[in-house]
Amino acid sequence: MTTLYIVIPCYNEEQVLPITAPMFLKKINDLCAQGLISDESRVMFIDDGSKDDTWKIIQGLTKEDKHFTGIRQSRNRGHQNAVLAGLMEAKDKCDITISIDCDGQDDINAMDDMVRAYLDGCEVVYGVRSERKTDTFFKRFTAEGFYKFLKWMGADVVFNHADYRLISSRVLQEFANFKEVNLFLRGMVPLVGFKSTSVY
């Protein structure tokens, strides 16, 4: 059965973690109950050198439930490096990973469709925002401009996709060969070239 690691970068999240961690655990349990993933699946937090009690909270969570695990970076290395550290740590322990931010703003229920898309043969599944109704006009305008500029520059990016995505361990094995220092995962993942789709 498919083993999933949910990879969650954290930086100074002591206020957010107690709220979102139970949501992620519930999602793991729901996916297990549906028979979509194995009970060996985990929620992996990556502490990106937090200055508050984030790591202490992660340690507490790992003692409360076997489905929680965590790694701690020696210093703050930035969001993209924290995501990559989690993916590289997980790649030999699971069949698929789903990276998601800790703040709970992404639709966690899209994970069901992501896992189903993987089981149907997709190795990469992008979580894409279907609308930006809650964003200000300025935010919508600059976001659309950002994606259009990247396309114009030749970057193969998925419109309205951030860092919420499913990646199979097979893709991550290939991804590990990239030696980029200045990371932009949104632009790098499509370069690996495996079958992909999007959920909204």
Side-chain angles (χ1 to χ4, degrees), residues 10-11 46-51 71-79 81-82 85 181:
C10 302
Y11 180 68
I46 299 88
D47 180 11
D48 189 24
S50 297
K51 294 177 171 51
I71 59 174
R72 186 181 197 189
Q73 302 207 106
S74 60
R75 64 176 176 82
N76 178 253
R77 298 173 188 277
H79 179 272
N81 283 295
V181 177

Side-chain angles (χ1 to χ4, degrees), residues 27 52 105 112 129 190:
K27 179 48 62 178
D52 63 4
Q105 291 186 19
D112 300 54
R129 290 183 68 169

Side-chain angles (χ1 to χ4, degrees), residues 50-64:
S50 297
K51 294 177 171 51
D52 63 4
D53 284 335
T54 295
W55 180 243
K56 188 176 177 182
I57 293 168
I58 292 169
Q59 287 178 306
L61 290 168
T62 62
K63 290 173 184 168
E64 288 173 22

Side-chain angles (χ1 to χ4, degrees), residues 105-149:
Q105 291 186 19
D106 291 310
D107 180 9
I108 196 169
N109 293 316
M111 289 186 188
D112 300 54
D113 290 334
M114 288 180 168
V115 174
R116 287 189 184 99
Y118 166 75
L119 295 173
D120 285 341
C122 291
E123 302 278 348
V124 178
V125 185
Y126 301 101
V128 178
R129 290 183 68 169
S130 55
E131 57 187 37
R132 288 183 168 270
K133 287 182 181 175
T134 57
D135 289 352
T136 63
F137 170 78
F138 179 76
K139 172 77 174 175
R140 283 196 307 271
F141 178 77
T142 54
E144 286 183 20
F146 172 73
Y147 286 105
K148 287 177 182 174
F149 177 72

Side-chain angles (χ1 to χ4, degrees), residues 146-159:
F146 172 73
Y147 286 105
K148 287 177 182 174
F149 177 72
L150 286 176
K151 282 282 189 187
W152 181 75
M153 293 291 290
D156 184 16
V157 292
V158 177
F159 186 71

